[in-house]
Structure formats: C-alpha cells, structure tokens
Amino acid sequence: MPKLTDKTLGEAALNPDGKTYHGPTAVRWMMEALTGKPFSAAEADKLIAEAQERAKAKRNMA
C-alpha cells in the first residue's frame, strides 16, 4: 500500500483546481512524516476540530 508521504506535501494535498490545498490531507501527510505511521482522515478531522476548539476558547478568554 503506498504511503501518503511517497509524494511531496504539495503533490499529496493539492486540490483539483491546482491552486489550493486540502487541509486535512496536509495534516495526514505531516503526521505520517513525523511518526512514520499512517494517519486516517477521521483522525485528521478530529485533530483539526480539537485545534479549532482550543483556538475558539483562547479567543473567548481575551
């Protein structure tokens, strides 16, 4: 099974429009690059949601 990191980050996460990137795929690529283990789309979505909640809480504290 090919690994996501067999491609560059740009190749793996580029959207069909050729101009923008798919954030969750970029997260999956980075996690795989850092850990050497595959990272599922569901795990990426969860990680992003948690980060958004932390950022929202931080903004509301200010």
Side-chain angles (χ1 to χ4, degrees), residues 5-29:
T5 52
D6 287 344
K7 297 179 180 182
T8 66
L9 174 58
E11 293 167 340
L14 190 64
N15 280 323
D17 66 10
K19 298 177 184 177
T20 59
Y21 296 93
H22 186 249
T25 303
V27 168
R28 290 179 55 218
W29 188 95

Side-chain angles (χ1 to χ4, degrees), residues 39-61:
F39 202 69
S40 74
E43 290 173 310
D45 290 342
K46 181 180 177 192
L47 185 67
I48 292 166
E50 290 170 354
Q52 289 171 332
E53 284 299 316
R54 284 191 304 274
K56 183 179 177 181
K58 191 173 183 177
R59 281 191 306 269
N60 289 339
M61 290 174 63

